[in-house]
Amino acid sequence: MAEARIVTCSRETKETSINITLNLDGTGKSDINSGVGFFDHMLDGFTRHGLFDLTLTCKGDLEVDDHHTIEDCGIVLGTAIREAIGDKVGISRFGHFILPMDDALILSAIDLSGRPYFSYDLNFTGERCGGMETQMCREFFYAISYSAAMNLHLKQISGINDHHIMEGAFKAFGKALDMATRRDDRINGVLSTKGSL
Ligand SMILES: [Mn+2]
C-alpha cells in the first residue's frame, strides 16, 4: 500500500489567514470557506472533478477586496500540491484535459517538472462573477504554478459566458492535475531522463 498523500498547510500574514488540507487520493469531498462564494464554487468544482479531498478556510481582508484572499489561497494550495507530490516517484508527471462546459471549451496542460511556467489565455467580458473579480482567476493560477513549481497552460478554445469559462478552467485544471499526479505501476523511480525532477 502506497503512503497517503495528505498534507496540511497554513499561512498567516497581515492580509490573510489560511488553512488547507489536501488529499490527492480523495473522492471529491470538499469543505471550503474562503469568504468569496463564487471562488468556493470554483474550488468545489476543482476538487470534485479532480477527485481530491480539500478542506480550506480563509479569513482574508475582504474589506479591501478579494485580491489577497484569492491570490494567497493559490499560494497555499500550490504549496500543498508540491508537498503532497513529494519526490514524484512513480507518478505520471504530465496531465492534460479539454473540458467542455456548455459554450466554453477549456484546455489545461500540466508538467510537474519542478520548473514553474505559466501560460494563460482566458478572456472574460465582465469584471466579476458573483463576488469574485474575473482578473483574479489569472492571479490564482499564476500563484499555483510558481508555488507548486509546475508548468501550467490554460487556454480558452471557445466560450461566451464568464461563469462557464471560469468554471471550465477550474474543472479542467482539476482533471489535468489528477492525471499528472496519478501513480503508474510501470514507472520505476522518477519519470525523467535526468533521473530527478
Ligand atoms: Mn457553476
Side-chain angles (χ1 to χ4, degrees), residues 174-193:
K175 297 288 288 180
L177 185 65
D178 183 43
M179 182 177 175
T181 55
R182 278 311 82 202
R183 289 174 165 133
D184 185 329
D185 289 343
R186 298 169 300 173
I187 301 169
N188 287 310
V190 172
L191 190 57
S192 165
T193 50

Side-chain angles (χ1 to χ4, degrees), residues 19-35:
N19 240 289
I20 285 181
T21 299
L22 172 69
N23 180 2
L24 287 180
D25 306 298
T27 57
K29 289 195 294 279
S30 67
D31 183 3
I32 293 162
N33 193 345
S34 70

Side-chain angles (χ1 to χ4, degrees), residues 108-190:
S108 172
I110 287 171
D111 178 10
L112 299 174
S113 58
R115 300 188 302 278
Y117 188 89
F118 184 55
S119 172
Y120 180 88
D121 182 18
L122 305 181
N123 297 292
F124 299 103
T125 49
E127 286 184 10
R128 306 189 145 265
C129 283
M132 176 171 172
E133 291 176 53
T134 49
Q135 281 196 341
M136 289 314 300
C137 185
R138 185 185 192 284
E139 299 305 307
F140 173 76
F141 284 112
Y142 175 52
I144 293 259
S145 72
Y146 66 74
S147 56
M150 71 165 69
N151 180 325
L152 172 60
H153 290 252
L154 279 172
K155 195 170 181 62
Q156 176 183 334
I157 297 167
S158 61
I160 298 162
N161 180 275
D162 284 348
H163 187 129
H164 293 157
I165 293 165
M166 189 154 0
E167 190 166 339
F170 274 77
K171 288 176 176 172
F173 173 65
K175 297 288 288 180
L177 185 65
D178 183 43
M179 182 177 175
T181 55
R182 278 311 82 202
R183 289 174 165 133
D184 185 329
D185 289 343
R186 298 169 300 173
I187 301 169
N188 287 310
V190 172

